[in-house]
């Protein structure tokens, strides 16, 4: 066993100047799966991760550390600034974080909420069924739900998903491995209200264990879930479900604290070397027979743009000009209600029921969109964030009345949140900032984003529906919002290396292989063609299993 510079324990180490079969960049939701699949299939793998290898014992209920100091995420204070603007005509301004993600082994699957909706068949062919939308890049996927379904099932059983086949669940070849999570207070209210309105609430599918599974324990309902790592390993991150299997294969070396700066190519245009900084700034370069980028929808396009060369002057794999474009966030809305009796929504996982009756909005409304609503605690149910946030119902924000309100509201509040579609637009994108640099001297991530009018209309629709549901639930006060002027950032980072059959309009093919570079693969949120209705990670993981399966078959045929 050998310990890497930052503590990862490896059963194998590889020399940097001998080509390994695969270098994988990023060990997140997708990267962890690709590493496990390729290494257990017998290929030599070097997995490069810029963050540390934290484990369950490292995670704390430390709101200040996670929310204020951003212990788990890359941000400006750690030397990784970003800039943001709403349109390409504006100068982007520095922000602490517009494109949020965790920098650690397991990526954002470590601290995500675990809401795990499969996309439905319509998501893959909606442009044909609904019609294209002028001014957008709304398109069909090159694959169908049926082609992805076996891999969704693989995610269910290998990662660990809890749920129950509901009226809206897409067709599935196998039941969920774990029964649904017990219902929480906010969702009892949501369920009751939805039934009153003639809707069909059902148990939310989640990547969280409702019972012991695969050697891991069930959730203990600690309530510090969204934005926190799980202290008992009940949350089904790639960190706990995949990475240990990859390391145990004896074929995968995990190098943590290693930030990749560039992918080099040989004279024939094939990727052959990955250059990176170790934590102390030492520059290393690993030779590889093939490269898989799993750095997420923000960092994968940045890496491709930074890998420009004489042969690839606009960035690697960017002959289409689509690298970084079509960034999709998913829309949202939130309505909070105050109840006379305690709701205690701060307990347990974020959400246990979902209403999916408006997955597809009626085209007669005059705009495109759809989504779902779940029940939760507003501001994630963590006390400090709740206390420091502005009062939901307009009371004072200091003094004894504030304290009395806080005491009542924290336990008597519920939120009904909407999660909605985002359209792909070329003008919503990730580019390299011309002025600002990160601690390594790389151009900072520049995000340009403004929700399409249909996306804003959809958020408004879900906001109004949540208001109606909150009244039906019997709230004594209610208030809410949706980003009417557009979002200023998000943690869903999708679409920036979109998948497609046509190399002129897409970056990767239907197996996540770069059209321009035969031994380069982009496997993460960047390959999504449409955004679904929120909760994209189940689909990111299913695509990762599918891409890995096809990479293995192609490698065995000698085609990589
Ligand atoms: C607080 C929060 C809650 C969320 N809740 C949900 C939810 O309920 N449901 C849902 O579906 N989604 C949710 N998401 C989104 C979800 O976590 C992401 O969609 C998912 O993790 C993306 O997977 P990925 O593989 O594309 O990238 P990531 O998981 O972001 O992994 C990318 C990895 O690459 C590493 N990396 C990046 N650049 C480099 C580099 N240059 N060199 C080396 N390593 C690099 C990163 O450190 C990271 O570990 C949430 C996200 C957050 C932040
Ligand atoms: S609520 Fe459950 S899954 Fe979430 S962090 Fe706590 S124990 Fe883990």
């Amino acid at each position: 066993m050998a310990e890497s510079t930052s503590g990862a324990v490896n059963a194998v180490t590889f020399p940097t100047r001998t080509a390994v079969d695969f270098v994988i960049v990023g060990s997140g939701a997708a990267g962890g799966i690709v590493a496990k699949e390729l290494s257990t299939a017998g290929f030599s793998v070097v997995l490069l991760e810029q963050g540390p290898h934290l484990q369950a014992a490292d995670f704390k209920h430390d709101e200040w550390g996670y929310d204020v100091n951003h212990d788990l995420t890359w941000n400006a204070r750690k030397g990784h600034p970003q800039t943001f603007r709403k349109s390409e005509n504006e100068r982007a301004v520095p922000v602490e974080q517009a494109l949020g993600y965790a920098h650690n082994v397991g990526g954002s699957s470590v601290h995500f909420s675990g809401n795990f909706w499969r996309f439905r068949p319509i998501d893959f062919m909606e442009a044909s069924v609904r019609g294209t939308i002028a001014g957008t890049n709304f398109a069909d996927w090159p694959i169908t739900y049926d082609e992805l379904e076996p891999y969704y099932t693989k995610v269910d059983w290998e990662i660990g998903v809890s749920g129950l086949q509901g009226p809206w669940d897409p067709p599935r070849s196998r039941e969920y491995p774990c029964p649904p999570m017990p219902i929480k207070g906010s969702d009892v209210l949501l369920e009751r209200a939805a039934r009153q309105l003639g809707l069909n609430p059902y148990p939310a599918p989640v990547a969280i264990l409702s019972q012991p599974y695969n050697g891991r324990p069930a959730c203990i309902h600690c309530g510090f879930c969204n934005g926190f790592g799980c202290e008992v390993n009940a949350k089904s991150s790639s960190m706990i479900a995949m990475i240990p299997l990859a390391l145990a294969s004896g074929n995968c070396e995990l190098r943590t604290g290693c930030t990749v700066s560039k992918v080099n190519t040989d004279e024939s245009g094939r990727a052959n070397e990955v250059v990176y900084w170790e934590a102390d700034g030492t520059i290393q370069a690993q030779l590889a027979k093939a490269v898989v980028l799993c750095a997420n929808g923000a960092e994968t396009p940045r890496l491709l743009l930074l890998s420009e060369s004489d042969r690839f002057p606009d960035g690697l794999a960017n002959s289409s000009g689509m690298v970084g474009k079509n960034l999709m966030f998913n829309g949202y809305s939130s309505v909070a209600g105050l109840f006379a009796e305690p709701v205690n929504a701060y307990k347990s996982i974020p959400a246990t029921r979902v209403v999916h009756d408006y997955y597809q909005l009626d085209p007669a409304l005059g705009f495109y969109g759809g989504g779902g609503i779940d029940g939760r605690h507003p501001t994630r149910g963590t006390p400090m964030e709740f206390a420091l946030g502005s009062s939901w119902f307009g009371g004072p924000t200091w003094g004894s009345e504030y304290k009395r309100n806080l005491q009542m509201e924290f336990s008597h509040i519920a939120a009904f949140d909407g999660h909605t579609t985002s359209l792909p637009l070329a003008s919503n994108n990730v580019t390299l900032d011309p002025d600002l640099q990160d601690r390594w001297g790389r151009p900072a991530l520049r995000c340009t984003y403004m929700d399409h009018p249909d996306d804003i209309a959809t958020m408004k629709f879900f906001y109004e529906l949540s208001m109606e549901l909150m009244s039906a639930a019997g709230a004594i006060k209610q208030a809410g919002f949706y980003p009417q002027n557009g979002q200023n950032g998000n943690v869903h980072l999708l679409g920036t290396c979109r998948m497609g059959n046509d190399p002129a309009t897409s970056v990767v093919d239907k197996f996540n292989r770069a059209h321009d570079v035969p031994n380069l693969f982009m496997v993460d949120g960047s390959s999504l063609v449409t955004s679904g209705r929120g909760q994209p990670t189940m689909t990111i993981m299913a695509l990762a299993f599918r891409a890995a399966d096809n990479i293995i078959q192609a490698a065995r045929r000698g085609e990589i």
Side-chain angles (χ1 to χ4, degrees), residues 196-226:
Q196 274 182 48
L197 298 191
L199 306 177
N200 298 279
Y202 74 103
V206 289
I208 290 170
L209 301 183
S210 59
Q211 63 185 24
Y213 182 71
N214 271 352
R216 294 193 281 129
C219 167
I220 56 168
H221 310 282
C222 76
F224 285 75
C225 205
N226 181 1

PDB file of all heavy atoms in Angstrom, residues 196-226:
ATOM      1  N   GLN A 196     -55.799  16.956  -2.038  1.00  0.00           N
ATOM      2  CA  GLN A 196     -56.961  17.871  -2.085  1.00  0.00           C
ATOM      3  C   GLN A 196     -57.101  18.518  -3.450  1.00  0.00           C
ATOM      4  O   GLN A 196     -58.191  18.794  -3.914  1.00  0.00           O
ATOM      5  CB  GLN A 196     -56.789  18.994  -1.056  1.00  0.00           C
ATOM      6  CG  GLN A 196     -57.277  18.646   0.334  1.00  0.00           C
ATOM      7  CD  GLN A 196     -57.095  19.857   1.246  1.00  0.00           C
ATOM      8  OE1 GLN A 196     -57.476  20.967   0.889  1.00  0.00           O
ATOM      9  NE2 GLN A 196     -56.511  19.636   2.400  1.00  0.00           N
ATOM     10  N   LEU A 197     -55.980  18.783  -4.098  1.00  0.00           N
ATOM     11  CA  LEU A 197     -56.021  19.409  -5.432  1.00  0.00           C
ATOM     12  C   LEU A 197     -56.119  18.371  -6.545  1.00  0.00           C
ATOM     13  O   LEU A 197     -55.979  18.696  -7.718  1.00  0.00           O
ATOM     14  CB  LEU A 197     -54.766  20.264  -5.657  1.00  0.00           C
ATOM     15  CG  LEU A 197     -54.504  21.449  -4.730  1.00  0.00           C
ATOM     16  CD1 LEU A 197     -53.372  22.311  -5.269  1.00  0.00           C
ATOM     17  CD2 LEU A 197     -55.735  22.306  -4.535  1.00  0.00           C
ATOM     18  N   GLY A 198     -56.285  17.109  -6.165  1.00  0.00           N
ATOM     19  CA  GLY A 198     -56.447  16.053  -7.176  1.00  0.00           C
ATOM     20  C   GLY A 198     -55.140  15.611  -7.793  1.00  0.00           C
ATOM     21  O   GLY A 198     -55.120  15.011  -8.872  1.00  0.00           O
ATOM     22  N   LEU A 199     -54.033  15.889  -7.131  1.00  0.00           N
ATOM     23  CA  LEU A 199     -52.721  15.495  -7.659  1.00  0.00           C
ATOM     24  C   LEU A 199     -52.269  14.171  -7.033  1.00  0.00           C
ATOM     25  O   LEU A 199     -52.924  13.639  -6.142  1.00  0.00           O
ATOM     26  CB  LEU A 199     -51.698  16.610  -7.402  1.00  0.00           C
ATOM     27  CG  LEU A 199     -52.108  18.000  -7.918  1.00  0.00           C
ATOM     28  CD1 LEU A 199     -51.069  19.050  -7.554  1.00  0.00           C
ATOM     29  CD2 LEU A 199     -52.323  17.974  -9.433  1.00  0.00           C
ATOM     30  N   ASN A 200     -51.125  13.677  -7.510  1.00  0.00           N
ATOM     31  CA  ASN A 200     -50.675  12.338  -7.123  1.00  0.00           C
ATOM     32  C   ASN A 200     -49.270  12.347  -6.504  1.00  0.00           C
ATOM     33  O   ASN A 200     -48.303  11.986  -7.169  1.00  0.00           O
ATOM     34  CB  ASN A 200     -50.650  11.421  -8.356  1.00  0.00           C
ATOM     35  CG  ASN A 200     -52.022  11.265  -8.954  1.00  0.00           C
ATOM     36  OD1 ASN A 200     -52.823  10.473  -8.487  1.00  0.00           O
ATOM     37  ND2 ASN A 200     -52.298  12.046  -9.995  1.00  0.00           N
ATOM     38  N   PRO A 201     -49.146  12.762  -5.243  1.00  0.00           N
ATOM     39  CA  PRO A 201     -47.825  12.743  -4.610  1.00  0.00           C
ATOM     40  C   PRO A 201     -47.336  11.308  -4.438  1.00  0.00           C
ATOM     41  O   PRO A 201     -48.154  10.401  -4.284  1.00  0.00           O
ATOM     42  CB  PRO A 201     -48.087  13.379  -3.245  1.00  0.00           C
ATOM     43  CG  PRO A 201     -49.519  13.089  -2.970  1.00  0.00           C
ATOM     44  CD  PRO A 201     -50.217  13.107  -4.295  1.00  0.00           C
ATOM     45  N   TYR A 202     -46.034  11.106  -4.491  1.00  0.00           N
ATOM     46  CA  TYR A 202     -45.521   9.756  -4.231  1.00  0.00           C
ATOM     47  C   TYR A 202     -44.121   9.839  -3.626  1.00  0.00           C
ATOM     48  O   TYR A 202     -43.483  10.899  -3.664  1.00  0.00           O
ATOM     49  CB  TYR A 202     -45.580   8.882  -5.482  1.00  0.00           C
ATOM     50  CG  TYR A 202     -44.553   9.161  -6.554  1.00  0.00           C
ATOM     51  CD1 TYR A 202     -43.451   8.313  -6.702  1.00  0.00           C
ATOM     52  CD2 TYR A 202     -44.688  10.216  -7.432  1.00  0.00           C
ATOM     53  CE1 TYR A 202     -42.513   8.538  -7.703  1.00  0.00           C
ATOM     54  CE2 TYR A 202     -43.749  10.443  -8.427  1.00  0.00           C
ATOM     55  CZ  TYR A 202     -42.668   9.607  -8.561  1.00  0.00           C
ATOM     56  OH  TYR A 202     -41.745   9.828  -9.543  1.00  0.00           O
ATOM     57  N   PRO A 203     -43.644   8.726  -3.041  1.00  0.00           N
ATOM     58  CA  PRO A 203     -42.352   8.764  -2.343  1.00  0.00           C
ATOM     59  C   PRO A 203     -41.227   9.211  -3.273  1.00  0.00           C
ATOM     60  O   PRO A 203     -41.078   8.699  -4.384  1.00  0.00           O
ATOM     61  CB  PRO A 203     -42.145   7.319  -1.888  1.00  0.00           C
ATOM     62  CG  PRO A 203     -43.519   6.763  -1.785  1.00  0.00           C
ATOM     63  CD  PRO A 203     -44.300   7.411  -2.901  1.00  0.00           C
ATOM     64  N   ALA A 204     -40.435  10.158  -2.789  1.00  0.00           N
ATOM     65  CA  ALA A 204     -39.324  10.677  -3.591  1.00  0.00           C
ATOM     66  C   ALA A 204     -38.228   9.620  -3.688  1.00  0.00           C
ATOM     67  O   ALA A 204     -37.804   9.081  -2.664  1.00  0.00           O
ATOM     68  CB  ALA A 204     -38.772  11.932  -2.932  1.00  0.00           C
ATOM     69  N   PRO A 205     -37.739   9.328  -4.924  1.00  0.00           N
ATOM     70  CA  PRO A 205     -36.570   8.450  -5.024  1.00  0.00           C
ATOM     71  C   PRO A 205     -35.330   9.200  -4.543  1.00  0.00           C
ATOM     72  O   PRO A 205     -35.127  10.356  -4.920  1.00  0.00           O
ATOM     73  CB  PRO A 205     -36.463   8.148  -6.527  1.00  0.00           C
ATOM     74  CG  PRO A 205     -37.544   8.910  -7.209  1.00  0.00           C
ATOM     75  CD  PRO A 205     -38.204   9.820  -6.222  1.00  0.00           C
ATOM     76  N   VAL A 206     -34.521   8.578  -3.700  1.00  0.00           N
ATOM     77  CA  VAL A 206     -33.340   9.266  -3.169  1.00  0.00           C
ATOM     78  C   VAL A 206     -32.126   8.333  -3.155  1.00  0.00           C
ATOM     79  O   VAL A 206     -32.261   7.123  -2.952  1.00  0.00           O
ATOM     80  CB  VAL A 206     -33.582   9.803  -1.729  1.00  0.00           C
ATOM     81  CG1 VAL A 206     -34.546  10.971  -1.749  1.00  0.00           C
ATOM     82  CG2 VAL A 206     -34.063   8.719  -0.784  1.00  0.00           C
ATOM     83  N   ALA A 207     -30.957   8.929  -3.330  1.00  0.00           N
ATOM     84  CA  ALA A 207     -29.696   8.172  -3.245  1.00  0.00           C
ATOM     85  C   ALA A 207     -29.242   8.151  -1.785  1.00  0.00           C
ATOM     86  O   ALA A 207     -28.150   8.616  -1.437  1.00  0.00           O
ATOM     87  CB  ALA A 207     -28.645   8.825  -4.145  1.00  0.00           C
ATOM     88  N   ILE A 208     -30.121   7.651  -0.951  1.00  0.00           N
ATOM     89  CA  ILE A 208     -29.896   7.576   0.498  1.00  0.00           C
ATOM     90  C   ILE A 208     -30.516   6.252   0.946  1.00  0.00           C
ATOM     91  O   ILE A 208     -31.589   5.878   0.465  1.00  0.00           O
ATOM     92  CB  ILE A 208     -30.575   8.775   1.206  1.00  0.00           C
ATOM     93  CG1 ILE A 208     -29.827  10.073   0.857  1.00  0.00           C
ATOM     94  CG2 ILE A 208     -30.627   8.573   2.725  1.00  0.00           C
ATOM     95  CD1 ILE A 208     -30.504  11.359   1.270  1.00  0.00           C
ATOM     96  N   LEU A 209     -29.851   5.558   1.855  1.00  0.00           N
ATOM     97  CA  LEU A 209     -30.322   4.222   2.222  1.00  0.00           C
ATOM     98  C   LEU A 209     -31.382   4.277   3.326  1.00  0.00           C
ATOM     99  O   LEU A 209     -31.149   4.826   4.399  1.00  0.00           O
ATOM    100  CB  LEU A 209     -29.145   3.370   2.699  1.00  0.00           C
ATOM    101  CG  LEU A 209     -28.001   3.180   1.699  1.00  0.00           C
ATOM    102  CD1 LEU A 209     -26.933   2.260   2.290  1.00  0.00           C
ATOM    103  CD2 LEU A 209     -28.508   2.632   0.362  1.00  0.00           C
ATOM    104  N   SER A 210     -32.552   3.683   3.029  1.00  0.00           N
ATOM    105  CA  SER A 210     -33.610   3.598   4.044  1.00  0.00           C
ATOM    106  C   SER A 210     -33.389   2.374   4.932  1.00  0.00           C
ATOM    107  O   SER A 210     -34.021   2.243   5.974  1.00  0.00           O
ATOM    108  CB  SER A 210     -34.972   3.507   3.363  1.00  0.00           C
ATOM    109  OG  SER A 210     -35.009   2.362   2.514  1.00  0.00           O
ATOM    110  N   GLN A 211     -32.527   1.468   4.491  1.00  0.00           N
ATOM    111  CA  GLN A 211     -32.204   0.286   5.296  1.00  0.00           C
ATOM    112  C   GLN A 211     -30.757  -0.116   4.985  1.00  0.00           C
ATOM    113  O   GLN A 211     -30.207   0.317   3.965  1.00  0.00           O
ATOM    114  CB  GLN A 211     -33.163  -0.868   4.964  1.00  0.00           C
ATOM    115  CG  GLN A 211     -33.049  -1.348   3.540  1.00  0.00           C
ATOM    116  CD  GLN A 211     -34.088  -2.421   3.166  1.00  0.00           C
ATOM    117  OE1 GLN A 211     -35.152  -2.519   3.782  1.00  0.00           O
ATOM    118  NE2 GLN A 211     -33.759  -3.211   2.159  1.00  0.00           N
ATOM    119  N   PRO A 212     -30.127  -0.913   5.839  1.00  0.00           N
ATOM    120  CA  PRO A 212     -28.740  -1.299   5.547  1.00  0.00           C
ATOM    121  C   PRO A 212     -28.644  -1.959   4.167  1.00  0.00           C
ATOM    122  O   PRO A 212     -29.518  -2.734   3.777  1.00  0.00           O
ATOM    123  CB  PRO A 212     -28.418  -2.308   6.663  1.00  0.00           C
ATOM    124  CG  PRO A 212     -29.344  -1.932   7.774  1.00  0.00           C
ATOM    125  CD  PRO A 212     -30.616  -1.471   7.110  1.00  0.00           C
ATOM    126  N   TYR A 213     -27.587  -1.616   3.436  1.00  0.00           N
ATOM    127  CA  TYR A 213     -27.464  -2.125   2.071  1.00  0.00           C
ATOM    128  C   TYR A 213     -25.993  -2.122   1.659  1.00  0.00           C
ATOM    129  O   TYR A 213     -25.272  -1.154   1.953  1.00  0.00           O
ATOM    130  CB  TYR A 213     -28.292  -1.239   1.122  1.00  0.00           C
ATOM    131  CG  TYR A 213     -28.287  -1.705  -0.329  1.00  0.00           C
ATOM    132  CD1 TYR A 213     -28.971  -2.863  -0.698  1.00  0.00           C
ATOM    133  CD2 TYR A 213     -27.589  -1.003  -1.296  1.00  0.00           C
ATOM    134  CE1 TYR A 213     -28.960  -3.302  -2.012  1.00  0.00           C
ATOM    135  CE2 TYR A 213     -27.578  -1.429  -2.618  1.00  0.00           C
ATOM    136  CZ  TYR A 213     -28.265  -2.579  -2.967  1.00  0.00           C
ATOM    137  OH  TYR A 213     -28.249  -3.012  -4.260  1.00  0.00           O
ATOM    138  N   ASN A 214     -25.551  -3.163   1.030  1.00  0.00           N
ATOM    139  CA  ASN A 214     -24.170  -3.258   0.538  1.00  0.00           C
ATOM    140  C   ASN A 214     -23.136  -2.920   1.614  1.00  0.00           C
ATOM    141  O   ASN A 214     -22.147  -2.240   1.346  1.00  0.00           O
ATOM    142  CB  ASN A 214     -23.968  -2.307  -0.659  1.00  0.00           C
ATOM    143  CG  ASN A 214     -24.312  -2.982  -1.974  1.00  0.00           C
ATOM    144  OD1 ASN A 214     -24.552  -4.193  -2.008  1.00  0.00           O
ATOM    145  ND2 ASN A 214     -24.343  -2.206  -3.043  1.00  0.00           N
ATOM    146  N   GLY A 215     -23.384  -3.364   2.831  1.00  0.00           N
ATOM    147  CA  GLY A 215     -22.428  -3.142   3.914  1.00  0.00           C
ATOM    148  C   GLY A 215     -22.478  -1.755   4.519  1.00  0.00           C
ATOM    149  O   GLY A 215     -21.635  -1.419   5.350  1.00  0.00           O
ATOM    150  N   ARG A 216     -23.438  -0.938   4.093  1.00  0.00           N
ATOM    151  CA  ARG A 216     -23.569   0.416   4.652  1.00  0.00           C
ATOM    152  C   ARG A 216     -24.829   0.497   5.506  1.00  0.00           C
ATOM    153  O   ARG A 216     -25.806  -0.197   5.234  1.00  0.00           O
ATOM    154  CB  ARG A 216     -23.634   1.447   3.518  1.00  0.00           C
ATOM    155  CG  ARG A 216     -22.337   1.536   2.716  1.00  0.00           C
ATOM    156  CD  ARG A 216     -22.345   2.766   1.820  1.00  0.00           C
ATOM    157  NE  ARG A 216     -23.122   2.565   0.621  1.00  0.00           N
ATOM    158  CZ  ARG A 216     -24.070   3.387   0.194  1.00  0.00           C
ATOM    159  NH1 ARG A 216     -24.373   4.477   0.861  1.00  0.00           N
ATOM    160  NH2 ARG A 216     -24.720   3.135  -0.918  1.00  0.00           N
ATOM    161  N   PRO A 217     -24.839   1.381   6.512  1.00  0.00           N
ATOM    162  CA  PRO A 217     -26.013   1.469   7.387  1.00  0.00           C
ATOM    163  C   PRO A 217     -27.112   2.349   6.795  1.00  0.00           C
ATOM    164  O   PRO A 217     -26.882   3.090   5.836  1.00  0.00           O
ATOM    165  CB  PRO A 217     -25.437   2.125   8.652  1.00  0.00           C
ATOM    166  CG  PRO A 217     -24.321   2.976   8.141  1.00  0.00           C
ATOM    167  CD  PRO A 217     -23.751   2.278   6.931  1.00  0.00           C
ATOM    168  N   ALA A 218     -28.279   2.280   7.402  1.00  0.00           N
ATOM    169  CA  ALA A 218     -29.392   3.152   6.993  1.00  0.00           C
ATOM    170  C   ALA A 218     -29.174   4.563   7.529  1.00  0.00           C
ATOM    171  O   ALA A 218     -28.432   4.776   8.486  1.00  0.00           O
ATOM    172  CB  ALA A 218     -30.706   2.589   7.532  1.00  0.00           C
ATOM    173  N   CYS A 219     -29.849   5.511   6.902  1.00  0.00           N
ATOM    174  CA  CYS A 219     -29.847   6.923   7.331  1.00  0.00           C
ATOM    175  C   CYS A 219     -30.330   7.032   8.780  1.00  0.00           C
ATOM    176  O   CYS A 219     -31.272   6.352   9.180  1.00  0.00           O
ATOM    177  CB  CYS A 219     -30.785   7.680   6.396  1.00  0.00           C
ATOM    178  SG  CYS A 219     -31.223   9.331   6.932  1.00  0.00           S
ATOM    179  N   ILE A 220     -29.675   7.897   9.543  1.00  0.00           N
ATOM    180  CA  ILE A 220     -30.097   8.117  10.930  1.00  0.00           C
ATOM    181  C   ILE A 220     -30.849   9.446  11.071  1.00  0.00           C
ATOM    182  O   ILE A 220     -31.013   9.974  12.160  1.00  0.00           O
ATOM    183  CB  ILE A 220     -28.901   8.059  11.909  1.00  0.00           C
ATOM    184  CG1 ILE A 220     -27.819   9.071  11.495  1.00  0.00           C
ATOM    185  CG2 ILE A 220     -28.331   6.653  11.994  1.00  0.00           C
ATOM    186  CD1 ILE A 220     -26.749   9.301  12.546  1.00  0.00           C
ATOM    187  N   HIS A 221     -31.241  10.037   9.938  1.00  0.00           N
ATOM    188  CA  HIS A 221     -32.109  11.221   9.919  1.00  0.00           C
ATOM    189  C   HIS A 221     -31.506  12.418  10.652  1.00  0.00           C
ATOM    190  O   HIS A 221     -32.211  13.156  11.334  1.00  0.00           O
ATOM    191  CB  HIS A 221     -33.499  10.874  10.505  1.00  0.00           C
ATOM    192  CG  HIS A 221     -34.098   9.641   9.896  1.00  0.00           C
ATOM    193  ND1 HIS A 221     -34.698   9.656   8.659  1.00  0.00           N
ATOM    194  CD2 HIS A 221     -34.140   8.359  10.330  1.00  0.00           C
ATOM    195  CE1 HIS A 221     -35.099   8.419   8.361  1.00  0.00           C
ATOM    196  NE2 HIS A 221     -34.761   7.615   9.349  1.00  0.00           N
ATOM    197  N   CYS A 222     -30.211  12.608  10.507  1.00  0.00           N
ATOM    198  CA  CYS A 222     -29.528  13.648  11.277  1.00  0.00           C
ATOM    199  C   CYS A 222     -29.963  15.054  10.869  1.00  0.00           C
ATOM    200  O   CYS A 222     -29.829  15.989  11.644  1.00  0.00           O
ATOM    201  CB  CYS A 222     -28.018  13.505  11.135  1.00  0.00           C
ATOM    202  SG  CYS A 222     -27.383  14.086   9.546  1.00  0.00           S
ATOM    203  N   GLY A 223     -30.444  15.215   9.634  1.00  0.00           N
ATOM    204  CA  GLY A 223     -30.936  16.529   9.202  1.00  0.00           C
ATOM    205  C   GLY A 223     -29.869  17.424   8.585  1.00  0.00           C
ATOM    206  O   GLY A 223     -30.206  18.413   7.951  1.00  0.00           O
ATOM    207  N   PHE A 224     -28.607  17.100   8.772  1.00  0.00           N
ATOM    208  CA  PHE A 224     -27.530  17.894   8.151  1.00  0.00           C
ATOM    209  C   PHE A 224     -27.107  17.185   6.870  1.00  0.00           C
ATOM    210  O   PHE A 224     -26.064  16.537   6.820  1.00  0.00           O
ATOM    211  CB  PHE A 224     -26.348  18.054   9.116  1.00  0.00           C
ATOM    212  CG  PHE A 224     -26.614  19.032  10.210  1.00  0.00           C
ATOM    213  CD1 PHE A 224     -27.438  18.703  11.274  1.00  0.00           C
ATOM    214  CD2 PHE A 224     -26.062  20.300  10.168  1.00  0.00           C
ATOM    215  CE1 PHE A 224     -27.704  19.613  12.283  1.00  0.00           C
ATOM    216  CE2 PHE A 224     -26.317  21.227  11.175  1.00  0.00           C
ATOM    217  CZ  PHE A 224     -27.141  20.876  12.230  1.00  0.00           C
ATOM    218  N   CYS A 225     -27.934  17.302   5.851  1.00  0.00           N
ATOM    219  CA  CYS A 225     -27.765  16.465   4.661  1.00  0.00           C
ATOM    220  C   CYS A 225     -27.367  17.311   3.453  1.00  0.00           C
ATOM    221  O   CYS A 225     -26.297  17.128   2.888  1.00  0.00           O
ATOM    222  CB  CYS A 225     -29.084  15.740   4.401  1.00  0.00           C
ATOM    223  SG  CYS A 225     -28.895  14.215   3.496  1.00  0.00           S
ATOM    224  N   ASN A 226     -28.214  18.273   3.086  1.00  0.00           N
ATOM    225  CA  ASN A 226     -27.948  19.114   1.917  1.00  0.00           C
ATOM    226  C   ASN A 226     -26.768  20.045   2.209  1.00  0.00           C
ATOM    227  O   ASN A 226     -26.845  20.906   3.078  1.00  0.00           O
ATOM    228  CB  ASN A 226     -29.208  19.925   1.597  1.00  0.00           C
ATOM    229  CG  ASN A 226     -29.045  20.807   0.371  1.00  0.00           C
ATOM    230  OD1 ASN A 226     -28.001  20.822  -0.266  1.00  0.00           O
ATOM    231  ND2 ASN A 226     -30.084  21.547   0.050  1.00  0.00           N
TER     232      ASN A 226
END
